[in-house]
């Protein structure tokens, strides 16, 4: 009974706090919009925990929770050790070389930050997983809001549809509301894109500090994501500051990036990016799972990556096919793939007259490039449809937003983003 009371009180307090924070922002949310968005997100976070506890033996999300109870006890009775484990000194005893020690530290830091944050939450939640869901989503909700704020600033005529895409789509909400690193990844990725816009278009120099903070956050929670966000930011910079044509700037940056990527194969193993990706694929191959998708073994060569490319595209954009889907989550993922693909196809008939102009904005190209890069990276490494669905979800959210931006809206004229 006390847990239910705390759950209700914390939800109300969080909605009220969020409304107070954003009601006077440049892109405000009404009380109703805030309550609906937060309530649905919390509900999805609870559903995430319930499904993985009852049908998937708890998965990592419940392991985080169980470990956080130990961290809560450590915080109360061994406070010095609680904070010491967040410092690089805790990794000195592991590994032989400085690079190995750094790798051990970074690999463990994502886990430690998450469980220690939950340990602090346990002070207020009395060790309840579902109340921790509320507190967790009170933080990662910023990732959704920053994406919404950025896109509505550029395309105010699409506000209603962007609200639905960012805050109410079932699949992105489900995967981004559970207690996992994915919510933090959206938080830091949208932080970078929002402040890149403010830095380059609004001349807010302090935004560079927020961009650096976002990059550090991505590095801590999933290092490989840093390599996906830097190219669009560089191309965006060239478009605005060097006055390059957007399509040419992005094409040039990504072409150079591909050459550099495969060029590192001539360097030692830890620096050879093709070898790193192939190594991560091998690590996934060593894991056990009930369902796998076809994926050939990668070699650190251009030819090998070219041969595996069709499988990578198929596995992230189309798998699992409806007739191959097993279990509730795979069926839901298959339906989400069909919805996104169907909406993209429908744009041939329902696209806005200004769709080319809208999607040519550096923000939209950046979101598109990030999404496609994320899809391909996951497709190359991961052979498990469940993991693919979760890892790619930020890219899916971005693609849904781009579909909304490109879609026709007859009752309100498109806003010329160039004035922004």
């Amino acid at each position: 009974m006390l847990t239910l009371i705390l759950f209700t009180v914390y939800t109300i307090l969080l909605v009220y706090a969020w409304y107070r924070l954003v009601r006077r922002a440049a892109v405000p949310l009404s009380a109703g919009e805030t309550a609906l968005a937060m309530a649905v997100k919390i509900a999805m976070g609870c559903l995430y925990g319930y499904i993985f506890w009852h049908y998937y033996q708890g998965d990592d999300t419940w392991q985080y929770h169980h470990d956080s109870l130990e961290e809560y006890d450590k915080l109360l009775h061994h406070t010095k050790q609680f904070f010491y484990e967040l410092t690089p000194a805790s990794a000195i005893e592991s590994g032989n070389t400085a690079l190995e020690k750094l790798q051990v530290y970074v690999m463990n830091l994502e886990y430690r930050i998450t469980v220690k944050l939950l340990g602090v939450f346990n002070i207020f939640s009395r060790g309840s997983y579902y109340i921790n869901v509320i507190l967790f989503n009170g933080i990662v909700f910023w990732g959704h809001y920053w994406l919404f704020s950025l896109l509505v600033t550029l395309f105010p005529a699409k506000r209603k549809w962007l609200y639905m895409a960012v805050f109410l789509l079932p699949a992105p909400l489900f995967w981004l509301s559970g207690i996992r690193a994915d919510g933090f990844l959206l938080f830091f990725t949208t932080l970078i894109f929002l402040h890149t816009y403010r830095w380059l278009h609004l001349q807010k120099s302090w935004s560079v500090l927020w961009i650096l903070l976002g990059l550090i956050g991505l590095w801590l929670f999933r290092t490989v994501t840093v390599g996906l966000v830097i190219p669009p930011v560089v191309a965006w910079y060239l478009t605005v500051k060097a006055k390059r044509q957007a399509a040419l700037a992005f094409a040039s940056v990504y072409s150079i990036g591909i050459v550099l990527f495969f060029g590192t194969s001539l360097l030692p193993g830890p620096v050879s990016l093709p070898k790193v990706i192939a190594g991560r694929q091998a690590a996934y191959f060593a894991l056990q799972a009930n369902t796998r998708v076809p994926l050939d073994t990668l070699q650190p060569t251009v030819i090998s990556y070219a041969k595996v490319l069709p499988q990578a595209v198929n596995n992230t954009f189309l798998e699992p096919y409806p007739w191959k889907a097993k279990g509730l989550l795979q069926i839901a993922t298959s339906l989400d793939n069909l919805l996104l693909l169907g909406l993209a196809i429908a744009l041939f008939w329902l696209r806005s007259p200004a769709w080319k102009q809208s999607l040519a904005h550096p923000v939209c190209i950046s979101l598109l490039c990030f999404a496609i890069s994320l899809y391909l990276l996951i497709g190359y490494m991961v052979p498990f449809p469940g993991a693919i669905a979760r890892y790619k979800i930020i890219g899916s959210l971005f693609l849904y937003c781009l579909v909304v931006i490109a879609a026709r809206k007859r009752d309100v004229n498109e806003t010329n983003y160039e004035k922004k």
Side-chain angles (χ1 to χ4, degrees):
M1 184 65 177
L2 179 59
T3 299
L4 181 59
I5 293 174
L6 288 176
F7 187 94
T8 303
V9 170
Y10 282 144
T11 300
I12 293 173
L13 289 176
L14 187 61
V15 170
Y16 177 74
W18 251 99
Y19 171 62
R20 294 280 297 182
L21 287 171
V22 301
R23 63 175 182 166
R24 295 181 179 177
V27 180
L29 291 174
S30 68
E33 289 173 332
T34 306
L36 176 61
M38 186 59 73
V40 173
K41 187 163 178 62
I42 291 171
M44 281 295 189
C46 292
L47 178 64
Y48 185 100
Y50 179 86
I51 287 177
F52 278 100
W53 176 254
H54 288 277
Y55 299 103
Y56 296 93
Q57 295 77 52
D59 196 60
D60 289 347
T61 184
W62 281 93
Q63 187 62 52
Y64 282 139
H65 174 67
H66 293 318
D67 292 346
S68 77
L69 299 177
E70 297 180 7
E71 294 297 329
Y72 170 62
D73 181 74
K74 193 182 299 180
L75 175 63
L76 295 182
H77 302 105
H78 305 282
T79 309
K80 182 178 179 180
Q81 182 183 356
F82 178 90
F83 291 103
Y84 173 80
E85 291 174 350
L86 290 171
T87 68
S90 62
I92 291 178
E93 300 175 358
S94 303
N96 298 316
T97 67
L99 180 59
E100 288 178 349
K101 292 175 182 178
L102 178 62
Q103 290 174 333
V104 169
Y105 176 66
V106 173
M107 284 190 298
N108 292 334
L109 198 54
E110 173 202 331
Y111 160 80
R112 287 181 177 174
I113 290 175
T114 303
V115 297
K116 288 181 183 296
L117 178 63
L118 294 175
V120 175
F121 287 169
N122 286 329
I123 297 174
F124 307 95
S125 69
R126 299 173 61 88
S128 168
Y129 175 92
Y130 293 103
I131 294 179
N132 284 345
V133 166
I134 301 173
L135 303 177
F136 176 84
N137 279 293
I139 296 174
V140 301
F141 189 77
W142 280 108
H144 294 270
Y145 175 74
W146 287 331
L147 177 63
F148 175 73
S149 176
L150 173 61
L151 295 180
V152 171
T153 298
L154 296 171
F155 308 102
K158 301 293 177 65
R159 188 186 192 283
K160 177 178 69 175
W161 294 101
L162 285 169
Y163 177 85
M164 295 174 63
V166 173
F167 293 114
L168 301 180
L169 276 174
L173 267 185
F174 177 80
W175 292 110
L176 293 170
S177 299
I179 298 178
R180 296 291 289 265
D182 307 277
F184 288 119
L185 294 177
L186 178 68
F187 179 98
F188 289 114
T189 301
T190 57
L191 176 68
I192 291 169
F193 285 139
L194 174 65
H195 282 282
T196 299
Y197 170 77
R198 291 180 176 177
W199 172 42
L200 296 178
H201 296 264
L202 305 181
Q203 289 75 51
K204 296 184 180 293
S205 57
W206 51 266
S207 285
V208 174
L209 298 177
W210 291 107
I211 295 171
L212 292 176
L213 177 63
L215 291 172
I216 293 171
L218 291 181
W219 180 68
L220 294 177
F221 280 92
R222 196 164 296 160
T223 306
V224 70
T225 313
V226 176
L228 302 181
V229 78
I230 288 178
V233 170
V234 171
W236 191 347
Y237 177 88
L238 293 176
T239 300
V240 176
K241 295 298 185 180
K243 307 298 182 182
R244 305 297 185 193
Q245 202 274 334
L248 179 59
F250 278 84
S252 300
V253 167
Y254 276 89
S255 297
I256 294 172
I258 292 172
V259 172
L260 293 176
F261 175 83
F262 287 106
T264 61
S265 62
L266 303 175
L267 302 175
V271 190
S272 172
L273 296 181
K275 291 179 182 178
V276 170
I277 301 302
R280 294 203 176 192
Q281 185 202 60
Y284 279 107
F285 281 177
L287 301 176
Q288 298 298 320
N290 295 327
T291 308
R292 288 175 178 255
V293 291
L295 187 62
D296 293 338
T297 301
L298 271 176
Q299 301 298 327
T301 65
V302 176
I303 294 176
S304 177
Y305 274 78
K307 287 183 177 179
V308 179
L309 177 61
Q311 290 179 325
V313 172
N314 176 73
N315 291 346
T316 47
F317 283 90
L318 301 175
E319 289 279 5
Y321 292 99
W323 55 90
K324 293 169 61 178
K326 299 177 182 179
L328 178 62
L329 291 184
Q330 286 194 28
I331 293 172
T333 300
S334 178
L335 293 176
D336 184 59
N337 290 342
L338 291 175
L339 175 61
L340 183 56
L341 182 61
L343 291 174
I345 294 174
L347 282 179
F348 283 102
W349 296 277
L350 301 176
R351 62 186 182 273
S352 164
W355 72 276
K356 289 184 179 180
Q357 182 187 26
S358 298
L359 296 185
H361 192 281
V363 167
C364 294
I365 302 178
S366 295
L367 296 180
L368 178 62
C369 290
F370 178 89
I372 293 176
S373 300
L374 180 63
Y375 269 52
L376 291 179
L377 179 66
I378 294 165
Y380 275 122
M381 294 192 304
V382 186
F384 311 127
I388 290 173
R390 179 167 67 87
Y391 290 153
K392 74 174 185 178
I393 199 61
I394 295 176
S396 299
L397 175 59
F398 289 173
L399 293 178
Y400 273 118
C401 291
L402 293 176
V403 168
V404 167
I405 290 169
R408 179 182 302 157
K409 183 173 178 58
R410 296 179 178 179
D411 55 332
V412 181
N413 293 328
E414 296 284 350
T415 296
N416 184 353
Y417 69 75
E418 292 180 349
K419 295 179 181 180
K420 305 289 183 179

